Amino acid sequence: MIQHIMVRHSKLQKQVLALYRQFLRAAQDKPGFIPRIRDEFRTNAAIKKTDVMHIEYLYRRAQRQLELLKDANTKQLGSFSKSKEDS
């Protein structure tokens, strides 16, 4: 018997999921962007849910990146990852 467990998402989780969908929609006409977006979100999914400040920071940064992605002139998506020395 398969049980369907309803997972309740926090407000922040819902916002991040909505942002992810917006990224995927915005990247549909830009070759090579969708795998990069998926990888970025999967990597950041490992962040602890209790690290709200870090998640909110990444969320705000992603919103700015989304605006750049929506620009018709955008051909590349930059990466802003911490180097090992910064950690």
Side-chain angles (χ1 to χ4, degrees), residues 19-31:
L19 184 67
Y20 177 66
R21 287 189 295 273
Q22 289 175 353
F23 262 100
L24 294 178
R25 273 188 234 113
Q28 283 181 334
D29 298 332
K30 302 189 185 238

Side-chain angles (χ1 to χ4, degrees), residues 26-58:
Q28 283 181 334
D29 298 332
K30 302 189 185 238
F33 277 59
I34 290 179
R36 174 70 191 286
I37 291 165
R38 286 187 176 137
D39 288 345
E40 189 77 22
F41 273 83
R42 281 190 185 118
T43 300
N44 289 324
I47 297 169
K48 292 181 182 177
K49 292 177 186 177
T50 56
D51 195 356
V52 176
M53 294 295 283
H54 187 205
I55 295 168
E56 287 178 344
Y57 162 75
L58 291 172

Side-chain angles (χ1 to χ4, degrees), residues 1-12:
M1 183 173 175
I2 298 175
Q3 290 182 343
H4 292 283
I5 300 172
M6 294 297 291
V7 178
R8 289 192 161 218
H9 294 295
S10 70
K11 181 180 177 185
L12 185 56

